[in-house]
Amino acid sequence: MADHITKTLILGSGSAGCTAAIYAARAALKPIVVSGMQPGGQLTITTEVENFPGFEDPIQGPELMERMRVQAERMGTVFCQDHIVSLDLSTRPFVAVGDSGDRYIADTLILATGASARWLGLDSEVTWMGRGVSACATCDGFFFRGREVAVVGGGNSAVEEALFLAGPASRVTLIHRRNSLRAEQTLQDRLLSHPKIRVLWDRQVVEIEGGGEPAGVTGVRLRNVHTGAEEVLPVEGVFIAIGHTPNTDLVRDQLDTDDAGYIRTVPGSTKTSVPGVFAAGDVQDPVFQQAVTAAGTGCMAALEALRFLEETGSAGA
């Protein structure tokens, strides 16, 4: 067990956390990043990334995150492979305790713990992850140009994903286990009138099927929730859109969050309800949830942490 003392502690090592680390290190804050349960964040379970600026050719998600980590380390960031189990924001310096027993003591804190996609819980979902199964249409929809895909869900996220995919895909089937959608009426109207989208009501996904060469998704096995009858829908992509859960368990009783648990920040800022604590990336963004927007707020958080330290006279060595 050891104490790690820093001007800026960053929880999370996705694009928000790594970008914050790069900027904080350049400002001589000697940041420490605690990588968390999923080092590198959600991009580490993504295959090709085509929409992150600066790469002419697609880059694999894990490679992109490795490059960010190496860049941050080269600037002077220290990465700790630990998972925070408790966090005290009642006084400064803030104290976080890791699963290792180590304590992390910091004058400022950047929360970049992200949000986790909700999944159906099928083994086949894991098997075909990145080979036809996705939770992000704006990330992966481009790979399904001219192909038939399915979207699972019935809320705003599912309808928005289906409408987005109707651009590149040849046909989109929305699968919903009920006979009505929860999405806003305007979105429903657009969906139900779209010539490339159909809805299968009262269906539950029981299996995602795959095969071929190269191996990928070939269809979804569906069960009618009323009759129990099963059918296979041939598709090459399955997008799970049943929502995300922000990783905010550590701070829900200490910071202002919205009804879904996302950290509230001051508009145009990453400041939270506790001075000296900043939030970046998907943990405070229920709307865009993109690597590039997360990186942008990571930059903002580091610069705001520096200003906070300067204003409170804590920026010196």
Side-chain angles (χ1 to χ4, degrees), residues 135 137 150-166 172-176 181-184 187-188 191 197-199 239-244:
V151 176
V152 182
N156 284 349
S157 295
V159 173
E160 288 169 352
E161 297 268 279
L163 289 167
F164 178 88
L165 288 164
V172 180
T173 301
L174 182 73
I175 301 165
H176 188 39
L181 300 172
R182 302 185 309 278
E184 297 171 1
L187 288 173
Q188 291 191 44
L191 177 96
I197 301 175
R198 66 168 175 169
V199 181
F239 291 82
I240 311 301
I242 55 177
H244 286 75

Side-chain angles (χ1 to χ4, degrees), residues 9 139 172 216 243 271 297:
L9 175 64
C139 305
V172 180
K271 296 176 182 176
T297 55

Side-chain angles (χ1 to χ4, degrees), residues 151-312:
V151 176
V152 182
N156 284 349
S157 295
V159 173
E160 288 169 352
E161 297 268 279
L163 289 167
F164 178 88
L165 288 164
S170 63
R171 189 177 194 182
V172 180
T173 301
L174 182 73
I175 301 165
H176 188 39
R177 60 183 179 177
R178 297 187 176 90
N179 61 3
S180 62
L181 300 172
R182 302 185 309 278
E184 297 171 1
Q185 190 61 49
T186 302
L187 288 173
Q188 291 191 44
D189 293 342
R190 289 176 57 199
L191 177 96
L192 296 173
S193 64
H194 200 291
K196 291 172 67 177
I197 301 175
R198 66 168 175 169
V199 181
L200 288 181
W201 306 102
D202 301 320
R203 304 297 205 285
Q204 180 181 12
V205 177
V206 294
E207 189 78 16
I208 297 173
E209 300 184 350
E213 185 61 41
V217 167
T218 59
V220 287
R221 181 171 295 278
L222 307 174
R223 178 182 296 139
N224 187 300
V225 297
H226 298 301
T227 68
E230 293 192 357
E231 62 188 304
V232 175
L233 173 70
V235 292
E236 294 183 67
V238 181
F239 291 82
I240 311 301
I242 55 177
H244 286 75
T245 301
N247 300 321
T248 52
D249 287 348
L250 282 171
V251 299
R252 285 200 185 191
D253 296 330
Q254 302 185 74
L255 292 179
D256 186 18
T257 60
D258 67 14
D259 292 342
Y262 289 90
I263 297 173
R264 295 186 192 273
T265 53
V266 174
S269 167
T270 62
K271 296 176 182 176
T272 71
S273 56
V274 173
V277 179
F278 308 88
D282 291 2
V283 76
Q284 54 85 53
D285 173 21
V287 179
F288 299 104
Q289 297 187 332
Q290 298 295 300
V292 68
T293 51
T297 55
C299 164
M300 292 169 59
L303 295 178
E304 289 190 298
L306 174 62
R307 289 177 192 148
F308 176 85
L309 290 168
E310 291 174 339
E311 291 168 359
T312 57

